[in-house]
Amino acid sequence: NNAIVELCMFLPEDENSVDGNIIVSREIYSNGRNLCKINGRLVTVSELKSFMINVIEDKALKPVIARKVLEALTEWFEVEESREGYINDCKDWIFLAAEEDGEYVGFLCLKQTGNATVELAVMGVMKDYHRNGIGRQLVEKAKEIAHSEGYSFMQVKTVQMGVYEDYDITNRFYISCGFKEFEVFPMH
């Protein structure tokens, strides 16, 4: 027994579109093998996931997505004033959102900090979607966009390694994405 799941989307601006349409399919075979295709071209699951990372331009939608995700991650975003700051400020930043099954499950914002530099200002992925590659896909798409927009550097600010276990996990994630320690501010 084989199953085929197919989705057709009208995205005239997407580089993968044919006459404005994109057909995404996943073939599932009884032996457990899966094939993913975009317009008939075989793609990896990673490529398929990155296809679901969208740039959000709608200034009203950005804070809605940010609020949904950040309020579900209060162990990392527990300070309400900071959380509300991200939610308010994100409307003016480059905003990427991960979509899965028609729901926004994660986002990342880039904020210009200099002529050649952007900061990964805030990022969150719903807990049920952790360790599924969504965060990495958001970062990779952010790197692509930063490069295409002419930025030479991307920075992320976080807590120094060894202070909080949760932030050590976050730091290891950023290091695995290619970030390096640049400057450490002393804790007072």
Side-chain angles (χ1 to χ4, degrees):
N1 258 352
N2 300 337
I4 296 178
V5 178
E6 195 166 81
L7 169 69
C8 183
M9 297 177 282
F10 183 69
L11 298 169
E13 303 301 318
D14 192 281
E15 64 189 42
N16 293 302
S17 71
V18 176
D19 296 328
N21 294 299
I22 296 178
I23 298 173
V24 178
S25 65
R26 183 172 182 189
E27 299 172 16
I28 306 163
Y29 295 90
S30 58
N31 65 2
R33 184 171 180 218
N34 287 274
L35 293 177
C36 301
K37 296 179 181 179
I38 296 177
N39 286 342
R41 180 178 64 84
L42 278 175
V43 295
T44 64
V45 172
S46 179
E47 285 178 283
L48 192 58
K49 281 184 180 176
S50 76
F51 182 73
M52 302 313 286
I53 305 294
N54 303 304
V55 176
I56 306 296
E57 301 286 348
D58 183 338
K59 288 185 177 237
L61 181 57
K62 291 176 182 184
V64 171
I65 297 168
R67 180 173 304 285
K68 174 188 174 187
V69 174
L70 296 181
E71 288 184 350
L73 300 172
T74 54
E75 45 293 40
W76 288 279
F77 298 96
E78 63 184 299
V79 178
E80 185 177 356
E81 184 179 338
S82 296
R83 190 172 60 242
E84 288 300 319
Y86 290 130
I87 291 166
N88 183 56
D89 294 344
C90 74
K91 65 183 175 288
D92 297 319
W93 297 336
I94 297 170
F95 194 104
L96 306 176
E99 192 176 344
E100 187 107 349
D101 298 324
E103 292 287 321
Y104 290 110
V105 298
F107 78 100
L108 178 153
C109 291
L110 294 176
K111 173 177 85 170
Q112 182 177 356
T113 57
N115 289 336
T117 307
V118 288
E119 176 185 344
L120 193 163
V122 62
M123 175 182 172
V125 174
M126 303 290 276
K127 275 193 265 184
D128 288 347
Y129 294 89
H130 282 191
R131 314 249 353 120
N132 285 314
I134 293 172
R136 186 169 308 282
Q137 293 299 326
L138 284 163
V139 171
E140 289 306 314
K141 188 73 162 186
K143 287 178 181 179
E144 288 175 27
I145 289 171
H147 179 75
S148 72
E149 296 283 325
Y151 295 106
S152 301
F153 305 98
M154 182 185 298
Q155 64 180 345
V156 62
K157 297 173 184 168
T158 187
V159 176
Q160 181 181 4
M161 287 285 278
V163 177
Y164 302 110
E165 188 176 331
D166 282 343
Y167 280 101
D168 287 352
I169 294 167
T170 301
N171 277 308
R172 284 192 290 277
F173 167 75
Y174 287 129
I175 290 166
S176 77
C177 290
F179 288 92
K180 307 268 187 252
E181 188 175 282
F182 183 69
E183 183 175 11
V184 177
F185 296 100
M187 307 251 325
H188 296 300

